[in-house]
Amino acid sequence: MSIAENLEKIQSTLPEHVQLVAVSKTKPNEQLMEAYDAGNRVFGENKVQELTGKYEVLPKDIEWHMIGHLQRNKVKYIAPFVTLIHGVDSKRLLVEINKQGAKNGRVIDVLLQMHIAIESTKFGFDKAELLEMLDAPEFAELQNVRPVGLMGMASYTDNEAQVRSEFASLKSLFDELKASHFSDASFKEISMGMSGDYPLAIEEGSTMVRVGSAIFGARNYA
Ligand SMILES: *Cc1c(COP(=O)(O)O)cnc(C)c1O
């Protein structure tokens, strides 16, 4: 199937409150343009250099999401234009995004990444760490960065019950934080679900799915 057909098929299964982020990492601009011409405007990339390169040459009404692990020294390159940073996993990164937001006269929307998988290799806060950051006085002073929700990646496994329970844990933490720290309506996103598990993620409360290979085909890292 073509990229346009893949997009249409996936979009037709998404509830209205779920946003599709088309993950275009490693894919050439021509393929992004195929998705663009089919109406897609939200793209996700996981490398700063690739993201800025694509931003520079592709249409300016694209919303770019940074979905990968972000190093502090690279925030400055995406701060002028990025729509949403999914993978904020430390206080130092949040502080840096705030600083670059101020330099660019922007408030940058971010998602706080939680460690929900069994694998220790995956990034993200654990709950205690997150609460410590949110309760620190400096947190309230960050005026140029705005957490609009949580992001998580489930374990890479065929065990559906395991994946489901990891998604459910992110949703329940979201509900808890919404009540305790983020009463503002802008805190509303739960970014979870990829090509292999997005239907499950939606059942467990996802509002944003990051889908790559199911749209663009398998990636070739060679
Ligand atoms: C690559 C990537 C995706 C998309 O993965 P697919 O399995 O191709 O859908 C989603 N989220 C993150 C953080 C990624 O790096």
Side-chain angles (χ1 to χ4, degrees):
M1 283 207 296
S2 69
I3 288 170
E5 286 167 330
N6 290 338
L7 272 170
E8 192 187 322
K9 189 171 143 232
I10 294 165
Q11 283 286 12
S12 74
T13 69
L14 299 184
E16 208 157 310
H17 67 276
V18 176
Q19 182 172 50
L20 176 63
V21 179
V23 176
S24 48
K25 61 192 189 195
T26 79
K27 299 296 178 182
N29 291 338
E30 300 75 66
Q31 291 192 16
L32 278 75
M33 281 309 295
E34 271 184 66
Y36 181 89
D37 290 336
N40 189 75
R41 293 293 180 273
V42 181
F43 291 86
E45 292 282 339
N46 72 338
K47 297 246 165 17
V48 166
Q49 199 177 355
E50 189 175 348
L51 175 55
T52 53
K54 287 174 173 173
Y55 163 74
E56 277 162 20
V57 299
L58 291 173
K60 288 294 175 280
D61 61 341
I62 289 178
E63 294 183 18
W64 294 101
H65 290 204
M66 174 64 194
I67 63 168
H69 185 65
L70 179 58
Q71 288 171 303
R72 276 180 298 139
N73 61 0
K74 296 197 173 156
V75 174
K76 57 178 178 285
Y77 301 114
I78 61 171
F81 68 88
V82 71
T83 297
L84 181 63
I85 299 175
H86 288 233
V88 175
D89 58 359
S90 74
K91 181 160 106 185
R92 292 163 77 201
L93 178 58
L94 195 69
V95 167
E96 177 63 18
I97 296 170
N98 183 66
K99 181 176 145 193
Q100 297 300 332
K103 271 194 185 165
N104 286 278
R106 302 185 64 201
V107 178
I108 300 178
D109 285 350
V110 301
L111 300 177
L112 303 168
Q113 181 170 4
M114 301 306 300
H115 185 262
I116 57 171
I118 327 171
E119 295 113 313
S120 55
T121 49
K122 294 224 162 89
F123 295 103
F125 289 104
D126 64 34
K127 185 177 164 184
E129 239 179 335
L130 180 72
L131 289 175
E132 187 186 314
M133 179 180 85
L134 297 180
D135 292 331
E138 317 139 69
F139 179 73
E141 291 164 18
L142 303 177
Q143 298 296 316
N144 292 88
V145 64
R146 179 173 75 159
V148 296
L150 302 181
M151 180 267 205
M153 290 175 84
S155 296
Y156 186 72
T157 171
D158 292 336
N159 183 343
E160 192 178 305
Q162 176 67 31
V163 172
R164 190 182 283 282
S165 87
E166 290 173 5
F167 287 149
S169 74
L170 190 61
K171 164 70 169 142
S172 93
L173 180 63
F174 172 87
D175 290 341
E176 208 178 301
L177 288 173
K178 180 88 193 148
S180 63
H181 289 78
F182 295 102
S183 56
D184 197 277
S186 62
F187 192 81
K188 62 179 171 49
E189 305 294 355
I190 305 177
S191 168
M192 59 184 187
M194 315 183 3
S195 293
D197 56 19
Y198 74 88
L200 208 63
I202 291 168
E203 284 176 29
E204 297 302 327
S206 173
T207 67
M208 204 174 254
V209 291
R210 310 176 309 269
V211 179
S213 45
I215 299 171
F216 297 102
R219 284 177 295 274
N220 181 359
Y221 288 101

